[in-house]
PDB file of all heavy atoms in Angstrom:
ATOM      1  N   ALA A   1      29.172 -21.278  38.621  1.00  0.00           N
ATOM      2  CA  ALA A   1      29.503 -22.468  37.715  1.00  0.00           C
ATOM      3  C   ALA A   1      28.174 -23.212  37.600  1.00  0.00           C
ATOM      4  O   ALA A   1      27.492 -23.524  38.532  1.00  0.00           O
ATOM      5  CB  ALA A   1      30.467 -23.381  38.424  1.00  0.00           C
ATOM      6  N   ILE A   2      27.831 -23.472  36.301  1.00  0.00           N
ATOM      7  CA  ILE A   2      26.582 -24.147  35.960  1.00  0.00           C
ATOM      8  C   ILE A   2      26.851 -25.446  35.277  1.00  0.00           C
ATOM      9  O   ILE A   2      27.506 -25.435  34.206  1.00  0.00           O
ATOM     10  CB  ILE A   2      25.729 -23.233  35.102  1.00  0.00           C
ATOM     11  CG1 ILE A   2      25.437 -21.963  35.780  1.00  0.00           C
ATOM     12  CG2 ILE A   2      24.359 -23.907  34.818  1.00  0.00           C
ATOM     13  CD1 ILE A   2      24.640 -20.927  35.045  1.00  0.00           C
ATOM     14  N   LYS A   3      26.355 -26.535  35.810  1.00  0.00           N
ATOM     15  CA  LYS A   3      26.533 -27.850  35.252  1.00  0.00           C
ATOM     16  C   LYS A   3      25.470 -28.160  34.116  1.00  0.00           C
ATOM     17  O   LYS A   3      24.300 -27.739  34.340  1.00  0.00           O
ATOM     18  CB  LYS A   3      26.549 -28.978  36.283  1.00  0.00           C
ATOM     19  CG  LYS A   3      27.770 -28.937  37.234  1.00  0.00           C
ATOM     20  CD  LYS A   3      27.678 -30.065  38.157  1.00  0.00           C
ATOM     21  CE  LYS A   3      28.908 -30.132  39.068  1.00  0.00           C
ATOM     22  NZ  LYS A   3      28.919 -31.252  40.020  1.00  0.00           N
ATOM     23  N   ARG A   4      25.858 -28.836  33.115  1.00  0.00           N
ATOM     24  CA  ARG A   4      24.766 -29.384  32.225  1.00  0.00           C
ATOM     25  C   ARG A   4      24.059 -30.445  32.834  1.00  0.00           C
ATOM     26  O   ARG A   4      24.674 -31.514  33.406  1.00  0.00           O
ATOM     27  CB  ARG A   4      25.532 -29.910  30.888  1.00  0.00           C
ATOM     28  CG  ARG A   4      24.643 -30.306  29.781  1.00  0.00           C
ATOM     29  CD  ARG A   4      25.348 -30.359  28.512  1.00  0.00           C
ATOM     30  NE  ARG A   4      24.503 -31.001  27.435  1.00  0.00           N
ATOM     31  CZ  ARG A   4      24.650 -32.255  27.002  1.00  0.00           C
ATOM     32  NH1 ARG A   4      25.665 -32.989  27.483  1.00  0.00           N
ATOM     33  NH2 ARG A   4      23.869 -32.719  26.075  1.00  0.00           N
ATOM     34  N   PRO A   5      22.732 -30.461  32.903  1.00  0.00           N
ATOM     35  CA  PRO A   5      21.933 -31.411  33.763  1.00  0.00           C
ATOM     36  C   PRO A   5      22.280 -32.830  33.434  1.00  0.00           C
ATOM     37  O   PRO A   5      22.254 -33.711  34.344  1.00  0.00           O
ATOM     38  CB  PRO A   5      20.494 -30.998  33.418  1.00  0.00           C
ATOM     39  CG  PRO A   5      20.602 -29.581  32.926  1.00  0.00           C
ATOM     40  CD  PRO A   5      21.901 -29.419  32.268  1.00  0.00           C
ATOM     41  N   THR A   6      22.418 -33.205  32.173  1.00  0.00           N
ATOM     42  CA  THR A   6      22.646 -34.568  31.771  1.00  0.00           C
ATOM     43  C   THR A   6      24.050 -34.978  31.582  1.00  0.00           C
ATOM     44  O   THR A   6      24.302 -36.060  31.051  1.00  0.00           O
ATOM     45  CB  THR A   6      21.815 -34.867  30.524  1.00  0.00           C
ATOM     46  OG1 THR A   6      22.233 -33.936  29.515  1.00  0.00           O
ATOM     47  CG2 THR A   6      20.330 -34.731  30.803  1.00  0.00           C
ATOM     48  N   ASP A   7      25.009 -34.197  31.950  1.00  0.00           N
ATOM     49  CA  ASP A   7      26.451 -34.473  31.852  1.00  0.00           C
ATOM     50  C   ASP A   7      27.185 -33.765  33.020  1.00  0.00           C
ATOM     51  O   ASP A   7      27.457 -32.575  32.948  1.00  0.00           O
ATOM     52  CB  ASP A   7      26.987 -34.000  30.478  1.00  0.00           C
ATOM     53  CG  ASP A   7      28.315 -34.440  30.238  1.00  0.00           C
ATOM     54  OD1 ASP A   7      29.019 -35.040  31.122  1.00  0.00           O
ATOM     55  OD2 ASP A   7      28.852 -34.340  29.090  1.00  0.00           O
ATOM     56  N   LYS A   8      27.488 -34.637  34.001  1.00  0.00           N
ATOM     57  CA  LYS A   8      28.135 -34.051  35.180  1.00  0.00           C
ATOM     58  C   LYS A   8      29.605 -33.574  34.888  1.00  0.00           C
ATOM     59  O   LYS A   8      30.195 -32.788  35.643  1.00  0.00           O
ATOM     60  CB  LYS A   8      28.276 -35.077  36.258  1.00  0.00           C
ATOM     61  CG  LYS A   8      26.865 -35.519  36.779  1.00  0.00           C
ATOM     62  CD  LYS A   8      27.010 -36.572  37.853  1.00  0.00           C
ATOM     63  CE  LYS A   8      25.627 -37.062  38.361  1.00  0.00           C
ATOM     64  NZ  LYS A   8      25.692 -38.067  39.394  1.00  0.00           N
ATOM     65  N   ASP A   9      30.179 -34.006  33.797  1.00  0.00           N
ATOM     66  CA  ASP A   9      31.551 -33.594  33.400  1.00  0.00           C
ATOM     67  C   ASP A   9      31.619 -32.329  32.605  1.00  0.00           C
ATOM     68  O   ASP A   9      32.749 -31.861  32.190  1.00  0.00           O
ATOM     69  CB  ASP A   9      32.272 -34.789  32.657  1.00  0.00           C
ATOM     70  CG  ASP A   9      32.379 -36.084  33.433  1.00  0.00           C
ATOM     71  OD1 ASP A   9      32.544 -35.877  34.661  1.00  0.00           O
ATOM     72  OD2 ASP A   9      32.267 -37.108  32.864  1.00  0.00           O
ATOM     73  N   GLU A  10      30.465 -31.787  32.277  1.00  0.00           N
ATOM     74  CA  GLU A  10      30.386 -30.519  31.481  1.00  0.00           C
ATOM     75  C   GLU A  10      29.833 -29.396  32.281  1.00  0.00           C
ATOM     76  O   GLU A  10      28.723 -29.322  32.605  1.00  0.00           O
ATOM     77  CB  GLU A  10      29.696 -30.749  30.215  1.00  0.00           C
ATOM     78  CG  GLU A  10      29.767 -29.546  29.183  1.00  0.00           C
ATOM     79  CD  GLU A  10      29.293 -29.964  27.836  1.00  0.00           C
ATOM     80  OE1 GLU A  10      28.724 -31.017  27.673  1.00  0.00           O
ATOM     81  OE2 GLU A  10      29.617 -29.198  26.820  1.00  0.00           O
ATOM     82  N   THR A  11      30.678 -28.435  32.606  1.00  0.00           N
ATOM     83  CA  THR A  11      30.324 -27.225  33.368  1.00  0.00           C
ATOM     84  C   THR A  11      30.861 -25.961  32.758  1.00  0.00           C
ATOM     85  O   THR A  11      32.004 -25.829  32.313  1.00  0.00           O
ATOM     86  CB  THR A  11      30.875 -27.345  34.784  1.00  0.00           C
ATOM     87  OG1 THR A  11      30.397 -28.592  35.376  1.00  0.00           O
ATOM     88  CG2 THR A  11      30.434 -26.166  35.671  1.00  0.00           C
ATOM     89  N   LEU A  12      30.029 -24.974  32.638  1.00  0.00           N
ATOM     90  CA  LEU A  12      30.385 -23.632  32.215  1.00  0.00           C
ATOM     91  C   LEU A  12      30.513 -22.747  33.449  1.00  0.00           C
ATOM     92  O   LEU A  12      29.663 -22.680  34.321  1.00  0.00           O
ATOM     93  CB  LEU A  12      29.364 -23.065  31.253  1.00  0.00           C
ATOM     94  CG  LEU A  12      29.270 -23.693  29.819  1.00  0.00           C
ATOM     95  CD1 LEU A  12      28.275 -22.930  28.990  1.00  0.00           C
ATOM     96  CD2 LEU A  12      30.667 -23.644  29.120  1.00  0.00           C
ATOM     97  N   VAL A  13      31.630 -21.942  33.430  1.00  0.00           N
ATOM     98  CA  VAL A  13      31.887 -21.032  34.561  1.00  0.00           C
ATOM     99  C   VAL A  13      31.656 -19.630  34.024  1.00  0.00           C
ATOM    100  O   VAL A  13      32.212 -19.243  32.969  1.00  0.00           O
ATOM    101  CB  VAL A  13      33.326 -21.200  35.116  1.00  0.00           C
ATOM    102  CG1 VAL A  13      33.455 -20.274  36.331  1.00  0.00           C
ATOM    103  CG2 VAL A  13      33.583 -22.606  35.469  1.00  0.00           C
ATOM    104  N   ILE A  14      30.855 -18.861  34.764  1.00  0.00           N
ATOM    105  CA  ILE A  14      30.563 -17.449  34.400  1.00  0.00           C
ATOM    106  C   ILE A  14      31.370 -16.440  35.246  1.00  0.00           C
ATOM    107  O   ILE A  14      31.455 -16.599  36.504  1.00  0.00           O
ATOM    108  CB  ILE A  14      29.104 -17.147  34.586  1.00  0.00           C
ATOM    109  CG1 ILE A  14      28.200 -18.164  33.805  1.00  0.00           C
ATOM    110  CG2 ILE A  14      28.721 -15.734  34.079  1.00  0.00           C
ATOM    111  CD1 ILE A  14      26.773 -17.989  33.949  1.00  0.00           C
ATOM    112  N   PHE A  15      31.990 -15.546  34.676  1.00  0.00           N
ATOM    113  CA  PHE A  15      32.830 -14.553  35.336  1.00  0.00           C
ATOM    114  C   PHE A  15      32.206 -13.151  35.068  1.00  0.00           C
ATOM    115  O   PHE A  15      31.698 -12.892  33.971  1.00  0.00           O
ATOM    116  CB  PHE A  15      34.243 -14.504  34.857  1.00  0.00           C
ATOM    117  CG  PHE A  15      34.978 -15.800  35.250  1.00  0.00           C
ATOM    118  CD1 PHE A  15      34.954 -16.940  34.445  1.00  0.00           C
ATOM    119  CD2 PHE A  15      35.768 -15.764  36.330  1.00  0.00           C
ATOM    120  CE1 PHE A  15      35.638 -18.053  34.789  1.00  0.00           C
ATOM    121  CE2 PHE A  15      36.543 -16.882  36.790  1.00  0.00           C
ATOM    122  CZ  PHE A  15      36.438 -18.061  35.917  1.00  0.00           C
ATOM    123  N   ARG A  16      32.281 -12.267  36.134  1.00  0.00           N
ATOM    124  CA  ARG A  16      31.849 -10.865  35.990  1.00  0.00           C
ATOM    125  C   ARG A  16      33.046  -9.994  36.199  1.00  0.00           C
ATOM    126  O   ARG A  16      34.082 -10.479  36.860  1.00  0.00           O
ATOM    127  CB  ARG A  16      30.736 -10.623  36.933  1.00  0.00           C
ATOM    128  CG  ARG A  16      31.094 -10.831  38.363  1.00  0.00           C
ATOM    129  CD  ARG A  16      29.952 -10.447  39.306  1.00  0.00           C
ATOM    130  NE  ARG A  16      30.287 -10.831  40.694  1.00  0.00           N
ATOM    131  CZ  ARG A  16      30.963 -10.147  41.513  1.00  0.00           C
ATOM    132  NH1 ARG A  16      31.618  -8.972  41.109  1.00  0.00           N
ATOM    133  NH2 ARG A  16      31.272 -10.514  42.733  1.00  0.00           N
ATOM    134  N   PRO A  17      32.979  -8.710  35.895  1.00  0.00           N
ATOM    135  CA  PRO A  17      34.022  -7.775  36.268  1.00  0.00           C
ATOM    136  C   PRO A  17      34.246  -7.696  37.762  1.00  0.00           C
ATOM    137  O   PRO A  17      33.251  -7.694  38.495  1.00  0.00           O
ATOM    138  CB  PRO A  17      33.610  -6.409  35.686  1.00  0.00           C
ATOM    139  CG  PRO A  17      32.666  -6.813  34.653  1.00  0.00           C
ATOM    140  CD  PRO A  17      31.975  -8.078  35.046  1.00  0.00           C
ATOM    141  N   ALA A  18      35.471  -7.674  38.228  1.00  0.00           N
ATOM    142  CA  ALA A  18      35.718  -7.718  39.632  1.00  0.00           C
ATOM    143  C   ALA A  18      35.179  -6.494  40.399  1.00  0.00           C
ATOM    144  O   ALA A  18      34.907  -6.512  41.591  1.00  0.00           O
ATOM    145  CB  ALA A  18      37.244  -7.741  39.896  1.00  0.00           C
ATOM    146  N   LYS A  19      34.967  -5.313  39.746  1.00  0.00           N
ATOM    147  CA  LYS A  19      34.520  -4.112  40.398  1.00  0.00           C
ATOM    148  C   LYS A  19      32.941  -4.008  40.412  1.00  0.00           C
ATOM    149  O   LYS A  19      32.486  -2.947  40.834  1.00  0.00           O
ATOM    150  CB  LYS A  19      35.115  -2.906  39.527  1.00  0.00           C
ATOM    151  CG  LYS A  19      36.600  -2.896  39.620  1.00  0.00           C
ATOM    152  CD  LYS A  19      37.181  -1.656  38.912  1.00  0.00           C
ATOM    153  CE  LYS A  19      38.704  -1.643  38.965  1.00  0.00           C
ATOM    154  NZ  LYS A  19      39.290  -0.450  38.267  1.00  0.00           N
ATOM    155  N   THR A  20      32.260  -4.958  39.919  1.00  0.00           N
ATOM    156  CA  THR A  20      30.801  -4.931  40.006  1.00  0.00           C
ATOM    157  C   THR A  20      30.208  -5.809  41.124  1.00  0.00           C
ATOM    158  O   THR A  20      30.972  -6.796  41.489  1.00  0.00           O
ATOM    159  CB  THR A  20      30.203  -5.324  38.682  1.00  0.00           C
ATOM    160  OG1 THR A  20      30.474  -6.655  38.365  1.00  0.00           O
ATOM    161  CG2 THR A  20      30.713  -4.449  37.536  1.00  0.00           C
ATOM    162  N   ASN A  21      29.009  -5.564  41.518  1.00  0.00           N
ATOM    163  CA  ASN A  21      28.385  -6.393  42.482  1.00  0.00           C
ATOM    164  C   ASN A  21      27.832  -7.673  41.880  1.00  0.00           C
ATOM    165  O   ASN A  21      27.426  -7.653  40.704  1.00  0.00           O
ATOM    166  CB  ASN A  21      27.296  -5.601  43.170  1.00  0.00           C
ATOM    167  CG  ASN A  21      27.788  -4.464  43.915  1.00  0.00           C
ATOM    168  OD1 ASN A  21      28.838  -4.488  44.637  1.00  0.00           O
ATOM    169  ND2 ASN A  21      27.013  -3.322  43.917  1.00  0.00           N
ATOM    170  N   PRO A  22      27.701  -8.730  42.597  1.00  0.00           N
ATOM    171  CA  PRO A  22      27.148 -10.024  42.089  1.00  0.00           C
ATOM    172  C   PRO A  22      25.716  -9.729  41.593  1.00  0.00           C
ATOM    173  O   PRO A  22      24.959  -9.030  42.132  1.00  0.00           O
ATOM    174  CB  PRO A  22      27.202 -10.974  43.286  1.00  0.00           C
ATOM    175  CG  PRO A  22      28.204 -10.390  44.186  1.00  0.00           C
ATOM    176  CD  PRO A  22      28.181  -8.910  44.002  1.00  0.00           C
ATOM    177  N   ALA A  23      25.320 -10.547  40.485  1.00  0.00           N
ATOM    178  CA  ALA A  23      23.994 -10.393  39.939  1.00  0.00           C
ATOM    179  C   ALA A  23      23.119 -11.171  40.769  1.00  0.00           C
ATOM    180  O   ALA A  23      23.393 -12.318  41.070  1.00  0.00           O
ATOM    181  CB  ALA A  23      24.075 -10.873  38.441  1.00  0.00           C
ATOM    182  N   PRO A  24      21.898 -10.696  41.100  1.00  0.00           N
ATOM    183  CA  PRO A  24      20.896 -11.455  41.810  1.00  0.00           C
ATOM    184  C   PRO A  24      20.277 -12.458  40.862  1.00  0.00           C
ATOM    185  O   PRO A  24      19.662 -12.111  39.910  1.00  0.00           O
ATOM    186  CB  PRO A  24      19.876 -10.445  42.342  1.00  0.00           C
ATOM    187  CG  PRO A  24      20.004  -9.341  41.333  1.00  0.00           C
ATOM    188  CD  PRO A  24      21.469  -9.313  40.913  1.00  0.00           C
ATOM    189  N   VAL A  25      20.357 -13.764  41.212  1.00  0.00           N
ATOM    190  CA  VAL A  25      19.769 -14.780  40.353  1.00  0.00           C
ATOM    191  C   VAL A  25      18.958 -15.723  41.233  1.00  0.00           C
ATOM    192  O   VAL A  25      19.177 -15.842  42.426  1.00  0.00           O
ATOM    193  CB  VAL A  25      20.855 -15.485  39.584  1.00  0.00           C
ATOM    194  CG1 VAL A  25      21.511 -14.596  38.605  1.00  0.00           C
ATOM    195  CG2 VAL A  25      21.825 -16.062  40.532  1.00  0.00           C
ATOM    196  N   GLY A  26      18.101 -16.460  40.545  1.00  0.00           N
ATOM    197  CA  GLY A  26      17.282 -17.434  41.246  1.00  0.00           C
ATOM    198  C   GLY A  26      17.675 -18.783  40.968  1.00  0.00           C
ATOM    199  O   GLY A  26      16.866 -19.680  40.863  1.00  0.00           O
ATOM    200  N   LEU A  27      18.982 -19.073  40.758  1.00  0.00           N
ATOM    201  CA  LEU A  27      19.500 -20.379  40.419  1.00  0.00           C
ATOM    202  C   LEU A  27      19.948 -21.092  41.732  1.00  0.00           C
ATOM    203  O   LEU A  27      20.334 -20.407  42.652  1.00  0.00           O
ATOM    204  CB  LEU A  27      20.683 -20.352  39.513  1.00  0.00           C
ATOM    205  CG  LEU A  27      20.319 -19.940  38.063  1.00  0.00           C
ATOM    206  CD1 LEU A  27      21.628 -19.772  37.281  1.00  0.00           C
ATOM    207  CD2 LEU A  27      19.380 -20.934  37.513  1.00  0.00           C
ATOM    208  N   PRO A  28      19.892 -22.486  41.785  1.00  0.00           N
ATOM    209  CA  PRO A  28      20.442 -23.187  42.934  1.00  0.00           C
ATOM    210  C   PRO A  28      21.906 -22.948  42.999  1.00  0.00           C
ATOM    211  O   PRO A  28      22.566 -22.566  42.031  1.00  0.00           O
ATOM    212  CB  PRO A  28      20.078 -24.544  42.591  1.00  0.00           C
ATOM    213  CG  PRO A  28      19.888 -24.604  41.158  1.00  0.00           C
ATOM    214  CD  PRO A  28      19.338 -23.305  40.750  1.00  0.00           C
ATOM    215  N   GLY A  29      22.472 -23.265  44.109  1.00  0.00           N
ATOM    216  CA  GLY A  29      23.868 -23.023  44.371  1.00  0.00           C
ATOM    217  C   GLY A  29      24.717 -23.961  43.537  1.00  0.00           C
ATOM    218  O   GLY A  29      24.198 -24.903  42.895  1.00  0.00           O
TER     219      GLY A  29
END
């Protein structure tokens, strides 16, 4: 889930297929 930096009420949630491994990313938690 990624929040819009200047709006705490706006968040986009990213989903992947359940049968794949998580993607390695360099984003904060």
Side-chain angles (χ1 to χ4, degrees):
I2 301 177
K3 291 184 178 180
R4 186 162 172 256
T6 55
D7 188 351
K8 297 179 180 179
D9 297 326
E10 189 164 13
T11 302
L12 289 182
V13 185
I14 304 175
F15 293 83
R16 60 176 172 82
K19 297 181 181 180
T20 63
N21 295 323
V25 294
L27 288 177

